[in-house]
Amino acid sequence: MSAHYQLTGTTAVEISASIESGIRTGALSPGAALPPVRALAAELGVSPATVARAYQELRQRGLLATAGRHGTRVRPRPPVAARRSALRPPPLPGARDLSRGEPDPRLLPPLGPHLAALATENGLSVGYSDAGVLPELAEAARARLRADGVPAGELTLTGGALDGIERLLGAHLRPGDAVAVEDPGWANLLDLVAALGLRPIGVPVDDEGPLVAGVAAALAAGARALIVTSRAQNPTGAAVSAARAEALRTLLAGRRDLLLIEDDHAAELARVPLHPLAGATASWAFLRSVSKPFGPDLRMAVLVGDETTVARVSGRTRVGAGWVSTVLQRLVLALWRDPAVTELVQRAAQSYEQRREGLLAALAEHGLTAHGRSGINVWLPVADETSTVTALRDAGWAVAPGALYRIAAPPALRITVSSLDTADLAPLAAALAQAENPPLSLIHISEP
């Protein structure tokens, strides 16, 4: 904990508010350790039970995490708005930032022409009573999903994949319920699960998706929801194979006590076939966002599922946000219908595949085995994340430490390939190899 920040309070509410204030202002940075319960209780002159209640309340809200023998710490990305100074520091000047997990801006379709065309159309403004999912967009979305083997009857829209997942979990689960999530898995999702007060159960992942034995173990442990990334899994690049999908469908067949959520966030950028699990359980939802192929600022996802599940999400949307902007819907529909945009997205998918496979091959030449079957990220297991990330930073490369994405999975790095060019692959692989296995001349050996 920062030596400059003093926790205060004589009640659990006051202590938790003091901690939250420190997180919000940046005085307590992500990952910062908090005092042991008894030590803080003695410092504040309160009972250990009072401090324990404060810590528990903040853990349930996703601000704190228990790190075993390392004590209680601020979560890497706690769900509270922080001042700009507390945000993730930028890479060193001149360094290449491969930590962001975003698509290459050079390969996103230009929105200007389509926005200009929409501006000239009549009747774009709609009233509260007329808002909702545009029939023409719903028809186009269903056609695209059915072409990939996804049953697309009941349909609604959400403000992106994570918004859809939040609405699904909120409609079906309650704080304390267990959720089976991929491990390693999407950092935003892990943070969301914590913020909702849900209990994550990690399911190991290989290149073909969640392990069947891991899913079975999560179900036996009481998981009430299972979240699976269909393709381009973040951070490992895993994609559910046909054989894995069949095995998972057999395991899940007919379950009425489990909500199955599939996230196909890469959509058109994925260069591997989709093998959906949709319909394997009584309650299910399949999400496909438009952010990765068409631009992160297009906050929209198509959600299909069984009648009850979709109705719950639609109902919660209606009494909250109301609807996804019909202007945004018309823009997405225009992008879907433009052959030039389709061609650009296909070129982007091919480019990401070449960069990803090129980096995997370059790493293999140095004896390093990484993962990246699909998507824009490569997952590289390492012996020690901190030392490797530091060595790479000193060499001019910024990557994401795997701790952001892991529950119990071994250490690793996430490397986003979207901004790499072919000429970058060999020097990056060499830097990664040296960071993971530094020459003896660079290792300080203490005298006995």
Side-chain angles (χ1 to χ4, degrees):
M1 186 176 73
S2 171
H4 303 291
Y5 188 72
Q6 182 67 43
L7 295 178
T8 61
T10 58
T11 67
V13 172
E14 291 173 348
I15 295 170
S16 64
S18 174
I19 296 170
E20 182 173 352
S21 177
I23 296 172
R24 189 173 60 251
T25 60
L28 293 175
S29 59
L34 295 180
V37 168
R38 293 189 179 277
L40 183 58
E43 179 181 337
L44 298 178
V46 301
S47 72
T50 298
V51 175
R53 282 197 302 273
Y55 282 9
Q56 181 183 22
E57 192 266 338
L58 292 172
R59 281 196 299 270
Q60 290 175 342
R61 291 176 47 213
L63 274 71
L64 302 183
T66 300
R69 65 175 181 271
H70 298 294
T72 299
R73 294 179 178 271
V74 179
R75 284 186 61 83
R77 294 188 300 178
V80 59
R83 292 180 181 174
R84 185 167 297 276
S85 60
L87 299 177
R88 180 175 63 91
L92 295 176
R96 294 291 300 279
D97 188 358
L98 309 179
S99 67
R100 299 175 65 86
E102 297 182 359
D104 187 345
R106 299 171 296 180
L107 297 177
L108 294 174
L111 303 181
H114 293 288
L115 288 170
L118 289 177
T120 63
E121 294 182 7
N122 295 322
L124 281 182
S125 296
V126 298
Y128 294 108
S129 60
D130 299 324
V133 181
L134 296 176
E136 57 268 39
L137 181 126
E139 180 182 357
R142 288 190 176 98
R144 297 168 82 89
L145 290 171
R146 287 169 178 160
D148 281 330
V150 179
E154 301 298 321
L155 180 149
T156 190
L157 301 176
T158 63
L162 200 65
D163 176 58
I165 293 173
E166 179 176 7
R167 294 178 186 280
L168 286 162
L169 294 176
H172 285 78
L173 277 64
R174 296 295 177 265
D177 286 345
V179 181
V181 294
E182 296 159 335
D183 182 21
W186 187 17
N188 285 356
L189 175 60
L190 299 180
D191 292 337
L192 173 65
V193 168
L196 293 176
L198 302 173
R199 179 167 56 91
I201 300 177
V203 175
V205 176
D206 66 8
D207 291 336
E208 297 184 51
L211 299 183
V212 177
V215 174
L219 297 179
R224 294 198 55 211
L226 168 66
I227 305 173
V228 176
T229 309
S230 304
R231 304 177 286 189
Q233 197 261 6
N234 187 356
T236 70
V240 177
S241 66
R244 184 64 52 80
E246 182 179 0
L248 288 172
R249 290 182 70 90
T250 299
L251 174 67
L252 301 174
R255 295 285 301 234
R256 307 197 65 84
D257 58 343
L258 181 76
L259 170 65
L260 170 64
I261 302 174
E262 287 182 90
D263 177 15
D264 187 37
H265 69 100
E268 293 85 355
L269 284 181
R271 295 266 292 178
V272 294
L274 177 70
H275 300 290
L277 306 177
T281 59
S283 299
W284 64 274
F286 184 97
L287 284 152
R288 177 175 286 178
S289 69
V290 301
S291 298
K292 283 294 191 302
F294 302 105
D297 199 34
L298 302 180
R299 310 308 302 160
M300 192 187 90
V302 175
L303 186 155
V304 295
D306 66 275
E307 181 179 0
T308 299
T309 296
V310 175
R312 288 182 180 181
V313 173
S314 298
R316 293 172 75 91
T317 300
R318 186 172 59 251
V319 299
W323 69 92
V324 172
S325 164
T326 56
V327 176
L328 175 56
Q329 293 184 52
R330 293 180 188 278
L331 174 59
V332 170
L333 186 59
L335 294 170
W336 283 351
R337 290 172 170 174
D338 187 341
V341 170
T342 300
E343 182 180 352
L344 177 59
V345 171
Q346 291 174 347
R347 290 204 307 270
Q350 183 177 15
S351 176
Y352 293 142
E353 182 178 59
Q354 291 172 344
R355 301 180 211 188
R356 191 183 65 251
E357 293 185 350
L359 180 57
L360 293 174
L363 289 169
E365 292 179 1
H366 291 277
L368 297 178
T369 301
H371 303 273
R373 186 166 172 240
S374 57
I376 63 174
N377 296 306
V378 165
W379 184 251
L380 175 64
V382 296
D384 182 87
E385 290 177 10
T386 302
S387 62
T388 306
V389 168
T390 301
L392 285 168
R393 180 199 62 193
D394 294 342
W397 302 94
V399 301
L404 294 172
Y405 312 93
R406 299 187 290 109
I407 299 175
L413 307 178
R414 193 196 72 172
I415 307 154
T416 301
V417 303
S418 54
S419 65
L420 293 174
D421 295 318
T422 302
D424 298 322
L425 301 180
L428 173 58
L432 286 163
Q434 181 163 309
E436 175 64 0
N437 301 298
L440 290 177
S441 61
L442 299 180
I443 301 177
H444 175 72
I445 301 177
S446 301
E447 292 292 336

